Amino acid sequence: MPKVKTNSGSKKRFRFTGTGKIKRKHAYHSHILTKKTKKQKRNLVKSTLVDSTNLKQVRDLLCLR
């Protein structure tokens, strides 16, 4: 039986917390920043957790099932 490969793009984008939850970064913080407010840009810097609706998909990409 061959080994299952982890998705290369996913392993660069997601990290784990100490309790096993999956962290992600916000989108829309790479370009076209001039029209966004300071508050919006500041809030996009912070990382957040993967939503429960997407958790199964992300875990499949990371081969954690």
Side-chain angles (χ1 to χ4, degrees):
M1 188 84 186
K3 293 182 180 179
V4 181
K5 288 191 175 181
T6 302
N7 183 280
S8 297
S10 303
K11 63 186 174 188
K12 296 168 191 169
R13 285 178 171 88
F14 299 108
R15 295 282 178 261
F16 291 96
T17 62
T19 55
K21 296 175 184 171
I22 304 174
K23 290 194 302 185
R24 67 171 180 88
K25 292 188 176 181
H26 281 102
Y28 306 109
H29 189 64
S30 56
H31 56 89
I32 315 175
L33 299 173
T34 52
K35 62 176 78 169
K36 293 170 187 152
T37 62
K38 290 178 184 178
K39 181 180 179 181
Q40 189 178 4
K41 289 184 278 192
R42 184 171 62 243
N43 289 331
L44 289 173
V45 171
K46 301 169 186 172
S47 62
T48 185
L49 297 175
V50 172
D51 192 64
S52 59
T53 55
N54 298 327
L55 205 54
K56 184 177 179 288
Q57 295 166 318
V58 173
R59 290 179 69 83
D60 283 342
L61 289 169
L62 297 171
C63 299
L64 295 173
R65 291 178 43 81

